[in-house]
């Protein structure tokens, strides 16, 4: 199946502890069905001190289920579903179902 959400997309969390938070996708893991979103699903990582870092409790993003994310509509601003369509020149593009706006292409 084609990827509906890609790295760099602006998304909003639609359910869970971080509901309503927006962020940019940093990484997508299609085999796991998860993605890492900036500023969402933060966890504390306890790291040992090394020559490169001081160590301690460092907050970082954890993976979140793709089903809990929705793309932010580029025109209207709210969460939207993603569809696919072919343009006149034969290229396949993603579009926002709420506004009909082409996302990439």
């Amino acid at each position: 199946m084609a990827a509906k959400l890609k790295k760099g997309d602006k998304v909003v969390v639609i359910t869970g502890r971080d509901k309503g938070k927006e962020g940019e996708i940093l990484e997508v893991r299609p085999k796991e069905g998860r993605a890492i979103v900036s500023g969402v699903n933060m966890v504390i990582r306890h790291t040992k001190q090394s020559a490169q870092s001081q160590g301690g409790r460092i907050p970082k993003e954890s993976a979140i289920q793709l089903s809990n994310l929705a793309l932010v509509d580029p025109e209207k601003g709210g969460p939207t579903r993603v569809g696919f369509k072919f343009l006149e020149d034969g290229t396949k593009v993603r579009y926002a179902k709420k506004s009909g706006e082409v996302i990439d292409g």
Side-chain angles (χ1 to χ4, degrees):
M1 190 172 100
K4 295 195 174 191
L5 298 175
K6 296 181 179 180
K7 180 179 177 179
D9 283 348
K10 182 112 170 139
V11 293
V12 62
V13 180
I14 54 176
T15 185
R17 149 182 107 180
D18 293 323
K19 181 178 180 178
K21 286 189 181 177
E22 290 187 13
E24 184 177 323
I25 295 182
L26 304 174
E27 178 186 344
V28 178
R29 301 175 182 168
K31 286 187 178 179
E32 299 174 24
R34 294 176 160 268
I36 295 179
V37 181
S38 63
V40 175
N41 201 23
M42 299 297 286
V43 294
I44 301 291
R45 176 88 174 117
H46 295 76
T47 58
K48 193 173 182 179
Q49 186 171 358
S50 68
Q52 287 81 24
S53 69
Q54 184 180 351
R57 296 170 41 130
I58 299 171
K60 64 178 265 183
E61 293 93 356
S62 183
I64 188 168
Q65 282 281 338
L66 288 172
S67 63
N68 296 339
L69 301 174
L71 189 76
V72 174
D73 194 306
E75 194 173 295
K76 295 191 177 181
T80 183
R81 292 181 296 159
V82 178
F84 294 95
K85 66 181 174 183
F86 290 94
L87 299 178
E88 292 82 30
D89 59 353
T91 57
K92 185 178 179 181
V93 294
R94 297 182 302 155
Y95 74 99
K97 288 197 173 185
K98 186 181 261 186
S99 65
E101 186 79 18
V102 174
I103 297 163
D104 52 6

